Amino acid sequence: ILRLYKVRRFRDLCIRLCTRLEGGSMFSVTLRRLLRDYHGIEVGRFSYGDILHPGVLPPGTRVGDWCSVGKDLIVRRRDHPVDRPIMHAIFYNSGLGFLSRDTIPVSFENPLSIGHDVWIGDRVTILGGCHSIGNGAVLAAGSVVTRDVTPYSIVAGVPARPIRMRFADERIAEIEASRWWERDLESIISDPPVSGIFG
C-alpha cells in the first residue's frame, strides 16, 4: 500500500484498503503513515474524522491522540494580505506564475497544532491566526476559529469566543497529570487513569 500510494490514480484505493484491512480509519496505522510521508501531516492514535482525508489538513499540521472531528472541516493557514492595496492571489502566490517567490508565508511556515482529545464539530473553519488548539478543547459546530484555543475550553461562534471551561483548574491539572493519552486502550479500560471516564 505504501508503494502503491505513490501512483496518484491508486490513492483512493489505498485509503480504502487501509480502512478495510486495519479495522477502520480510526485504527489504521498505515493511513497515518501515508498522511505523514506524502502529505506532511501527523495524526495521532485513535483520532478520526475529516482529518484523515488527504487534502483537508495543510502540510505541517500536527494532531494529537484521541481527537474527534466532524464533517466539512476547513483549515486555512494563509490569508489574503488585507494591509496591502491589492489583495488578489496573483500578487502573493508564486504558484500562479507571476512572481518568483511567495510574498506571504506559505502554509507549512504557519503550522497548526491540535492537542489530545480535542472535539471539533461539523463545519468548523480554522484560520491562520489560530496556531494551537489545546488538549481537551471543544470547537462547537459552525465556529470560525481565528485565534488560539485554551486547553479544556469550549469555544463557539463567528468568530469563535470562549463559552466556558469544561472543568475547574484542579480537575484539569488531574487530567493533564495522568497523561492518559499516552497509555494503550486496554490499560485505560482496565485501570482508568482518572475518575469519571465511563460516566
Side-chain angles (χ1 to χ4, degrees), residues 150-153 164-177:
T150 305
Y152 300 93
S153 64
R164 67 177 176 89
M165 297 300 291
R166 290 181 57 208
F167 306 108
D169 291 345
E170 302 79 32
R171 181 69 165 154
I172 291 171
E174 176 191 6
I175 295 168
E176 286 289 300

Side-chain angles (χ1 to χ4, degrees), residues 87-172:
M87 299 181 292
H88 195 279
I90 283 177
F91 300 100
Y92 68 79
N93 186 342
S94 64
L96 298 174
F98 295 95
L99 303 169
S100 60
R101 62 176 182 77
D102 284 11
T103 63
I104 65 172
V106 292
S107 293
F108 69 84
E109 294 173 330
N110 183 21
L112 174 63
S113 176
I114 300 173
H116 305 289
D117 194 34
V118 171
W119 177 19
I120 300 174
D122 292 340
R123 299 173 315 281
V124 168
T125 300
I126 302 171
L127 298 179
C130 175
H131 309 286
S132 174
I133 298 169
N135 291 341
V138 176
L139 283 57
S143 296
V144 176
V145 183
T146 60
R147 56 186 168 191
D148 291 354
V149 179
T150 305
Y152 300 93
S153 64
I154 299 173
V155 300
V158 180
R161 303 245 187 260
I163 302 300
R164 67 177 176 89
M165 297 300 291
R166 290 181 57 208
F167 306 108
D169 291 345
E170 302 79 32
R171 181 69 165 154
I172 291 171

Side-chain angles (χ1 to χ4, degrees), residues 20-108:
R20 176 169 284 193
L21 297 174
E22 295 181 305
S25 59
M26 180 188 301
F27 304 101
S28 176
V29 173
T30 307
L31 179 54
R32 283 161 175 73
R33 192 162 163 201
L34 293 173
L35 289 170
R36 185 193 67 210
D37 294 350
Y38 288 95
H39 301 281
I41 299 161
E42 296 279 342
V43 178
R45 299 174 311 136
F46 302 105
S47 291
Y48 69 92
D50 272 4
I51 55 173
L52 294 173
H53 299 284
V56 171
L57 296 176
T61 304
R62 292 177 52 227
V63 179
D65 299 331
W66 303 94
C67 292
S68 307
V69 179
K71 298 280 187 197
D72 302 322
L73 174 67
I74 297 172
V75 178
R76 299 279 186 254
R77 306 316 302 150
R78 302 175 80 180
D79 293 321
H80 290 270
V82 296
D83 58 335
R84 295 184 185 175
I86 302 173
M87 299 181 292
H88 195 279
I90 283 177
F91 300 100
Y92 68 79
N93 186 342
S94 64
L96 298 174
F98 295 95
L99 303 169
S100 60
R101 62 176 182 77
D102 284 11
T103 63
I104 65 172
V106 292
S107 293
F108 69 84

Side-chain angles (χ1 to χ4, degrees), residues 45-46 65-66 178-194 197:
R45 299 174 311 136
F46 302 105
D65 299 331
W66 303 94
S178 77
R179 302 192 62 79
W180 68 268
W181 50 84
E182 294 176 354
R183 294 175 53 180
D184 61 70
L185 177 59
E186 292 77 19
S187 75
I188 293 171
I189 291 172
S190 64
D191 181 23
V194 290
I197 288 179

